[in-house]
mmCIF file with all atom_site columns, all heavy atoms in Angstrom:
data_model
loop_
_atom_site.group_PDB
_atom_site.id
_atom_site.type_symbol
_atom_site.label_atom_id
_atom_site.label_alt_id
_atom_site.label_comp_id
_atom_site.label_asym_id
_atom_site.label_entity_id
_atom_site.label_seq_id
_atom_site.pdbx_PDB_ins_code
_atom_site.Cartn_x
_atom_site.Cartn_y
_atom_site.Cartn_z
_atom_site.occupancy
_atom_site.B_iso_or_equiv
_atom_site.pdbx_formal_charge
_atom_site.auth_seq_id
_atom_site.auth_comp_id
_atom_site.auth_asym_id
_atom_site.auth_atom_id
_atom_site.pdbx_PDB_model_num
ATOM 1   N N   . GLY H 1 174 ? -5.410  -7.970  30.567 1.00 92.00 ? 174 GLY H N   1
ATOM 2   C CA  . GLY H 1 174 ? -6.851  -8.071  30.794 1.00 92.00 ? 174 GLY H CA  1
ATOM 3   C C   . GLY H 1 174 ? -7.594  -8.541  29.558 1.00 92.00 ? 174 GLY H C   1
ATOM 4   O O   . GLY H 1 174 ? -8.502  -9.380  29.641 1.00 92.00 ? 174 GLY H O   1
ATOM 5   N N   . LEU H 1 175 ? -7.213  -8.028  28.391 1.00 93.00 ? 175 LEU H N   1
ATOM 6   C CA  . LEU H 1 175 ? -7.891  -8.419  27.152 1.00 93.00 ? 175 LEU H CA  1
ATOM 7   C C   . LEU H 1 175 ? -7.526  -9.845  26.739 1.00 93.00 ? 175 LEU H C   1
ATOM 8   O O   . LEU H 1 175 ? -8.368  -10.580 26.201 1.00 93.00 ? 175 LEU H O   1
ATOM 9   C CB  . LEU H 1 175 ? -7.533  -7.433  26.037 1.00 93.00 ? 175 LEU H CB  1
ATOM 10  C CG  . LEU H 1 175 ? -7.958  -5.976  26.302 1.00 93.00 ? 175 LEU H CG  1
ATOM 11  C CD1 . LEU H 1 175 ? -7.526  -5.072  25.160 1.00 93.00 ? 175 LEU H CD1 1
ATOM 12  C CD2 . LEU H 1 175 ? -9.460  -5.877  26.517 1.00 93.00 ? 175 LEU H CD2 1
ATOM 13  N N   . LEU H 1 176 ? -6.283  -10.251 27.014 1.00 94.00 ? 176 LEU H N   1
ATOM 14  C CA  . LEU H 1 176 ? -5.888  -11.638 26.711 1.00 94.00 ? 176 LEU H CA  1
ATOM 15  C C   . LEU H 1 176 ? -6.623  -12.622 27.621 1.00 94.00 ? 176 LEU H C   1
ATOM 16  O O   . LEU H 1 176 ? -6.909  -13.759 27.206 1.00 94.00 ? 176 LEU H O   1
ATOM 17  C CB  . LEU H 1 176 ? -4.371  -11.788 26.865 1.00 94.00 ? 176 LEU H CB  1
ATOM 18  C CG  . LEU H 1 176 ? -3.534  -11.055 25.805 1.00 94.00 ? 176 LEU H CG  1
ATOM 19  C CD1 . LEU H 1 176 ? -2.044  -11.196 26.104 1.00 94.00 ? 176 LEU H CD1 1
ATOM 20  C CD2 . LEU H 1 176 ? -3.853  -11.572 24.398 1.00 94.00 ? 176 LEU H CD2 1
ATOM 21  N N   . ILE H 1 177 ? -6.933  -12.187 28.834 1.00 95.00 ? 177 ILE H N   1
ATOM 22  C CA  . ILE H 1 177 ? -7.745  -13.030 29.723 1.00 95.00 ? 177 ILE H CA  1
ATOM 23  C C   . ILE H 1 177 ? -9.113  -13.263 29.096 1.00 95.00 ? 177 ILE H C   1
ATOM 24  O O   . ILE H 1 177 ? -9.638  -14.396 29.095 1.00 95.00 ? 177 ILE H O   1
ATOM 25  C CB  . ILE H 1 177 ? -7.883  -12.368 31.111 1.00 95.00 ? 177 ILE H CB  1
ATOM 26  C CG1 . ILE H 1 177 ? -6.551  -12.430 31.858 1.00 95.00 ? 177 ILE H CG1 1
ATOM 27  C CG2 . ILE H 1 177 ? -8.983  -13.046 31.946 1.00 95.00 ? 177 ILE H CG2 1
ATOM 28  C CD1 . ILE H 1 177 ? -6.499  -11.566 33.101 1.00 95.00 ? 177 ILE H CD1 1
ATOM 29  N N   . ILE H 1 178 ? -9.709  -12.211 28.539 1.00 95.00 ? 178 ILE H N   1
ATOM 30  C CA  . ILE H 1 178 ? -11.008 -12.336 27.875 1.00 95.00 ? 178 ILE H CA  1
ATOM 31  C C   . ILE H 1 178 ? -10.918 -13.307 26.696 1.00 95.00 ? 178 ILE H C   1
ATOM 32  O O   . ILE H 1 178 ? -11.791 -14.176 26.511 1.00 95.00 ? 178 ILE H O   1
ATOM 33  C CB  . ILE H 1 178 ? -11.499 -10.963 27.392 1.00 95.00 ? 178 ILE H CB  1
ATOM 34  C CG1 . ILE H 1 178 ? -11.757 -10.019 28.571 1.00 95.00 ? 178 ILE H CG1 1
ATOM 35  C CG2 . ILE H 1 178 ? -12.756 -11.103 26.535 1.00 95.00 ? 178 ILE H CG2 1
ATOM 36  C CD1 . ILE H 1 178 ? -12.858 -10.465 29.486 1.00 95.00 ? 178 ILE H CD1 1
ATOM 37  N N   . LEU H 1 179 ? -9.858  -13.175 25.897 1.00 95.00 ? 179 LEU H N   1
ATOM 38  C CA  . LEU H 1 179 ? -9.701  -14.054 24.732 1.00 95.00 ? 179 LEU H CA  1
ATOM 39  C C   . LEU H 1 179 ? -9.468  -15.499 25.153 1.00 95.00 ? 179 LEU H C   1
ATOM 40  O O   . LEU H 1 179 ? -9.959  -16.434 24.508 1.00 95.00 ? 179 LEU H O   1
ATOM 41  C CB  . LEU H 1 179 ? -8.549  -13.560 23.853 1.00 95.00 ? 179 LEU H CB  1
ATOM 42  C CG  . LEU H 1 179 ? -8.716  -12.158 23.252 1.00 95.00 ? 179 LEU H CG  1
ATOM 43  C CD1 . LEU H 1 179 ? -7.550  -11.831 22.317 1.00 95.00 ? 179 LEU H CD1 1
ATOM 44  C CD2 . LEU H 1 179 ? -10.037 -12.050 22.499 1.00 95.00 ? 179 LEU H CD2 1
ATOM 45  N N   . THR H 1 180 ? -8.730  -15.716 26.228 1.00 94.00 ? 180 THR H N   1
ATOM 46  C CA  . THR H 1 180 ? -8.505  -17.075 26.740 1.00 94.00 ? 180 THR H CA  1
ATOM 47  C C   . THR H 1 180 ? -9.816  -17.690 27.217 1.00 94.00 ? 180 THR H C   1
ATOM 48  O O   . THR H 1 180 ? -10.108 -18.866 26.952 1.00 94.00 ? 180 THR H O   1
ATOM 49  C CB  . THR H 1 180 ? -7.491  -17.048 27.905 1.00 94.00 ? 180 THR H CB  1
ATOM 50  O OG1 . THR H 1 180 ? -6.261  -16.478 27.435 1.00 94.00 ? 180 THR H OG1 1
ATOM 51  C CG2 . THR H 1 180 ? -7.231  -18.445 28.432 1.00 94.00 ? 180 THR H CG2 1
ATOM 52  N N   . ILE H 1 181 ? -10.614 -16.884 27.913 1.00 94.00 ? 181 ILE H N   1
ATOM 53  C CA  . ILE H 1 181 ? -11.926 -17.362 28.370 1.00 94.00 ? 181 ILE H CA  1
ATOM 54  C C   . ILE H 1 181 ? -12.801 -17.715 27.166 1.00 94.00 ? 181 ILE H C   1
ATOM 55  O O   . ILE H 1 181 ? -13.516 -18.733 27.167 1.00 94.00 ? 181 ILE H O   1
ATOM 56  C CB  . ILE H 1 181 ? -12.603 -16.287 29.248 1.00 94.00 ? 181 ILE H CB  1
ATOM 57  C CG1 . ILE H 1 181 ? -11.893 -16.193 30.601 1.00 94.00 ? 181 ILE H CG1 1
ATOM 58  C CG2 . ILE H 1 181 ? -14.094 -16.578 29.441 1.00 94.00 ? 181 ILE H CG2 1
ATOM 59  C CD1 . ILE H 1 181 ? -12.365 -15.047 31.472 1.00 94.00 ? 181 ILE H CD1 1
ATOM 60  N N   . GLY H 1 182 ? -12.728 -16.890 26.123 1.00 92.00 ? 182 GLY H N   1
ATOM 61  C CA  . GLY H 1 182 ? -13.503 -17.169 24.918 1.00 92.00 ? 182 GLY H CA  1
ATOM 62  C C   . GLY H 1 182 ? -13.066 -18.453 24.236 1.00 92.00 ? 182 GLY H C   1
ATOM 63  O O   . GLY H 1 182 ? -13.913 -19.248 23.789 1.00 92.00 ? 182 GLY H O   1
ATOM 64  N N   . ALA H 1 183 ? -11.759 -18.660 24.157 1.00 92.00 ? 183 ALA H N   1
ATOM 65  C CA  . ALA H 1 183 ? -11.243 -19.892 23.545 1.00 92.00 ? 183 ALA H CA  1
ATOM 66  C C   . ALA H 1 183 ? -11.701 -21.114 24.327 1.00 92.00 ? 183 ALA H C   1
ATOM 67  O O   . ALA H 1 183 ? -12.099 -22.141 23.750 1.00 92.00 ? 183 ALA H O   1
ATOM 68  C CB  . ALA H 1 183 ? -9.715  -19.836 23.481 1.00 92.00 ? 183 ALA H CB  1
ATOM 69  N N   . TRP H 1 184 ? -11.658 -21.001 25.656 1.00 92.00 ? 184 TRP H N   1
ATOM 70  C CA  . TRP H 1 184 ? -12.102 -22.127 26.509 1.00 92.00 ? 184 TRP H CA  1
ATOM 71  C C   . TRP H 1 184 ? -13.587 -22.415 26.294 1.00 92.00 ? 184 TRP H C   1
ATOM 72  O O   . TRP H 1 184 ? -14.000 -23.576 26.213 1.00 92.00 ? 184 TRP H O   1
ATOM 73  C CB  . TRP H 1 184 ? -11.828 -21.789 27.973 1.00 92.00 ? 184 TRP H CB  1
ATOM 74  C CG  . TRP H 1 184 ? -12.336 -22.823 28.938 1.00 92.00 ? 184 TRP H CG  1
ATOM 75  C CD1 . TRP H 1 184 ? -13.513 -22.823 29.632 1.00 92.00 ? 184 TRP H CD1 1
ATOM 76  C CD2 . TRP H 1 184 ? -11.687 -24.056 29.281 1.00 92.00 ? 184 TRP H CD2 1
ATOM 77  N NE1 . TRP H 1 184 ? -13.635 -23.957 30.383 1.00 92.00 ? 184 TRP H NE1 1
ATOM 78  C CE2 . TRP H 1 184 ? -12.528 -24.732 30.194 1.00 92.00 ? 184 TRP H CE2 1
ATOM 79  C CE3 . TRP H 1 184 ? -10.468 -24.638 28.909 1.00 92.00 ? 184 TRP H CE3 1
ATOM 80  C CZ2 . TRP H 1 184 ? -12.185 -25.960 30.738 1.00 92.00 ? 184 TRP H CZ2 1
ATOM 81  C CZ3 . TRP H 1 184 ? -10.138 -25.868 29.448 1.00 92.00 ? 184 TRP H CZ3 1
ATOM 82  C CH2 . TRP H 1 184 ? -10.989 -26.515 30.353 1.00 92.00 ? 184 TRP H CH2 1
ATOM 83  N N   . ALA H 1 185 ? -14.383 -21.350 26.172 1.00 88.00 ? 185 ALA H N   1
ATOM 84  C CA  . ALA H 1 185 ? -15.820 -21.523 25.980 1.00 88.00 ? 185 ALA H CA  1
ATOM 85  C C   . ALA H 1 185 ? -16.111 -22.220 24.652 1.00 88.00 ? 185 ALA H C   1
ATOM 86  O O   . ALA H 1 185 ? -16.964 -23.115 24.574 1.00 88.00 ? 185 ALA H O   1
ATOM 87  C CB  . ALA H 1 185 ? -16.509 -20.162 26.027 1.00 88.00 ? 185 ALA H CB  1
ATOM 88  N N   . VAL H 1 186 ? -15.391 -21.824 23.599 1.00 86.00 ? 186 VAL H N   1
ATOM 89  C CA  . VAL H 1 186 ? -15.596 -22.441 22.282 1.00 86.00 ? 186 VAL H CA  1
ATOM 90  C C   . VAL H 1 186 ? -15.220 -23.924 22.326 1.00 86.00 ? 186 VAL H C   1
ATOM 91  O O   . VAL H 1 186 ? -15.951 -24.788 21.816 1.00 86.00 ? 186 VAL H O   1
ATOM 92  C CB  . VAL H 1 186 ? -14.764 -21.712 21.209 1.00 86.00 ? 186 VAL H CB  1
ATOM 93  C CG1 . VAL H 1 186 ? -14.770 -22.495 19.905 1.00 86.00 ? 186 VAL H CG1 1
ATOM 94  C CG2 . VAL H 1 186 ? -15.317 -20.302 20.974 1.00 86.00 ? 186 VAL H CG2 1
ATOM 95  N N   . LEU H 1 187 ? -14.082 -24.236 22.951 1.00 88.00 ? 187 LEU H N   1
ATOM 96  C CA  . LEU H 1 187 ? -13.633 -25.625 23.042 1.00 88.00 ? 187 LEU H CA  1
ATOM 97  C C   . LEU H 1 187 ? -14.579 -26.461 23.893 1.00 88.00 ? 187 LEU H C   1
ATOM 98  O O   . LEU H 1 187 ? -14.709 -27.678 23.688 1.00 88.00 ? 187 LEU H O   1
ATOM 99  C CB  . LEU H 1 187 ? -12.213 -25.683 23.620 1.00 88.00 ? 187 LEU H CB  1
ATOM 100 C CG  . LEU H 1 187 ? -11.109 -25.114 22.709 1.00 88.00 ? 187 LEU H CG  1
ATOM 101 C CD1 . LEU H 1 187 ? -9.774  -25.074 23.450 1.00 88.00 ? 187 LEU H CD1 1
ATOM 102 C CD2 . LEU H 1 187 ? -10.993 -25.943 21.435 1.00 88.00 ? 187 LEU H CD2 1
ATOM 103 N N   . SER H 1 188 ? -15.222 -25.813 24.864 1.00 88.00 ? 188 SER H N   1
ATOM 104 C CA  . SER H 1 188 ? -16.138 -26.532 25.768 1.00 88.00 ? 188 SER H CA  1
ATOM 105 C C   . SER H 1 188 ? -17.556 -26.595 25.215 1.00 88.00 ? 188 SER H C   1
ATOM 106 O O   . SER H 1 188 ? -18.438 -27.203 25.835 1.00 88.00 ? 188 SER H O   1
ATOM 107 C CB  . SER H 1 188 ? -16.161 -25.853 27.146 1.00 88.00 ? 188 SER H CB  1
ATOM 108 O OG  . SER H 1 188 ? -14.862 -25.782 27.694 1.00 88.00 ? 188 SER H OG  1
#
Side-chain angles (χ1 to χ4, degrees):
L175 299 178
L176 291 176
I177 289 168
I178 296 296
L179 298 184
T180 301
I181 288 173
W184 176 263
V186 170
L187 292 173
S188 303

